[in-house]
Amino acid sequence: MATGLRSRTGRTVAAGIAVAGAVGLGLLAAPAGAGAQPQLPPVDPEELVRSVLAAEPVAFGGTAELDNALGLPALPGMPQAANGTSTARIWSDGEKRGRIQLPTESGERTLVSDGETFWSWNSADRTVTRSPEGARDAAGADPSAAADEALAALRPTSEIRVDGTAEVAGRAAYELVLTPASSERTLLREVRVAVDGEHRTPLRLTVVATGSSEPAMRIGFTDITFGPQDPELFTFTPPPGATVEDAQRPEDHPGGPGGDAEPTMVGDGWDTVLVSTVPTGPDAQRPEGVPDLAELGSPVTGPWGSGRLISTAVASAIVADDGRIAAGAVPEQVLTEALAR
């Protein structure tokens, strides 16, 4: 999982940022460390960004904590969406394989990429969903992947600086700060990325909303160990008695690849909006792992139609009655402009 996520750029990167920002699901955080700043050699901000994006993925295992202040309620199967703290365990072999274990309100979800197949296990209903490698990812749960995507998507429209150093998960890290250019229409004031001084791996991502000095969310490790991991972590065998389902392929969705169901990007950088379409009607089925957003937010109408506006400190989304969803780290006006195109 880690390699594929670190290598994505352009539309895919921006889409991941827009979705993750809009719903705030699976974002894991670590409290800022205290104490003296560790000593690291001076580094130019642009050079630090280049070194992060060019760094080869390394194998690791670690623990991350969620501590967000987005203001979302707990969603079925995704308690990480609600304000508060939760934990996850993450492993990567530095190549194509990875494992993430996420607690839920009634059990645990385990996500495993074995290099060929992506497995999702829900202990609450004892259901396994499998899909081809690359059809799913868990960027929101991996601090390194989330920070890499943020850097790639926001770098061209940002002012960048290095704000000293910090200790994160017991490791010395540079504090890289990105602030939006004056032309950007965004709800965000800044994004901070703590970069490991040795491996150039992002260890923590902090997002601060406009008008606030406190983080709306952070994503980071509380402990991390670099080096080879147990190969058994990257294999998965459905437990006895489990129900195994094949994930619906994109070509099986209405519209199919290249049709109405294919997400589109409007804008770029900080004010990117992802516009996608989901099935509607009484017989419509949501993709596995996607919560029902129809009852969230407040009613909103415009030349684009009608729907519901869901707002958090750092992002917003409009779920239109016709099945369209516009999401991004932007105010409502930017969303409605994207829907009206």
Side-chain angles (χ1 to χ4, degrees):
M1 284 185 286
T3 301
L5 290 170
R6 290 174 68 93
S7 65
R8 292 189 184 124
T9 56
R11 285 165 51 95
T12 303
V13 168
I17 295 299
V19 172
V23 298
L25 301 181
L27 289 175
L28 308 174
Q37 292 184 334
Q39 297 297 311
L40 288 172
V43 62
D44 177 77
E46 286 290 348
E47 175 56 34
L48 182 58
V49 172
R50 286 192 293 269
S51 67
V52 171
L53 297 179
E56 290 294 328
V58 293
F60 68 83
T63 303
E65 287 184 354
L66 167 62
D67 182 15
N68 82 60
L70 292 172
L72 284 172
L75 299 174
M78 293 299 298
Q80 293 84 7
N83 286 7
T85 301
S86 62
T87 62
R89 290 284 291 159
I90 305 169
W91 297 266
S92 171
D93 72 346
E95 299 294 336
K96 296 177 61 177
R97 302 186 300 168
R99 183 186 190 96
I100 297 176
Q101 293 178 185
L102 292 165
T104 67
E105 65 272 17
S106 56
E108 183 179 75
R109 287 192 67 199
T110 300
L111 312 175
V112 178
S113 175
D114 62 15
E116 296 181 356
T117 303
F118 184 94
W119 302 88
S120 175
W121 158 246
N122 188 335
S123 66
D125 59 11
R126 299 190 59 78
T127 299
V128 175
T129 303
R130 62 187 173 194
S131 55
E133 172 64 27
R136 297 284 190 273
D137 65 51
D142 183 343
S144 296
D148 275 354
E149 293 201 357
L151 282 175
L154 302 180
R155 176 189 183 188
T157 54
S158 300
E159 297 179 2
I160 305 173
R161 61 188 173 91
V162 176
D163 187 21
T165 62
E167 183 176 314
V168 180
R171 298 188 61 85
Y174 294 101
E175 286 276 27
L176 182 65
V177 182
L178 294 84
T179 56
S182 58
S183 59
E184 298 297 287
R185 296 183 295 170
T186 178
L187 298 174
L188 305 183
R189 170 184 154 188
E190 67 180 27
V191 169
R192 287 178 168 261
V193 181
V195 179
D196 185 79
E198 178 183 359
H199 296 290
R200 292 300 195 262
T201 298
L203 300 176
R204 184 175 65 206
L205 174 69
T206 303
V207 178
V208 181
T210 299
S212 174
S213 59
E214 295 297 320
M217 57 187 176
R218 287 194 185 105
I219 174 171
F221 290 100
T222 56
D223 68 72
I224 187 170
T225 301
F226 291 100
Q229 303 296 309
D230 183 355
E232 291 298 316
L233 289 167
F234 311 118
T235 63
F236 183 84
T237 301
T243 300
V244 181
E245 303 172 343
D246 288 314
Q248 190 174 24
R249 298 172 300 174
E251 55 265 32
D252 293 333
H253 286 281
D260 293 339
E262 185 177 4
T264 59
M265 305 304 305
V266 178
D268 57 19
W270 297 79
D271 51 19
T272 297
V273 175
L274 172 69
V275 180
S276 59
T277 304
V278 297
T280 59
D283 298 327
Q285 293 185 348
R286 296 190 307 276
E288 187 265 337
V290 176
D292 185 3
L293 304 178
E295 300 303 320
L296 297 180
S298 55
V300 62
T301 61
W304 50 270
S306 61
R308 302 187 73 84
L309 172 67
I310 303 170
S311 299
T312 74
V314 297
S316 57
I318 290 179
V319 183
D321 295 335
D322 61 9
R324 290 179 297 161
I325 298 178
V330 297
E332 177 185 354
Q333 179 183 352
V334 181
L335 297 180
T336 59
E337 291 174 2
L339 286 172
R341 292 194 177 189

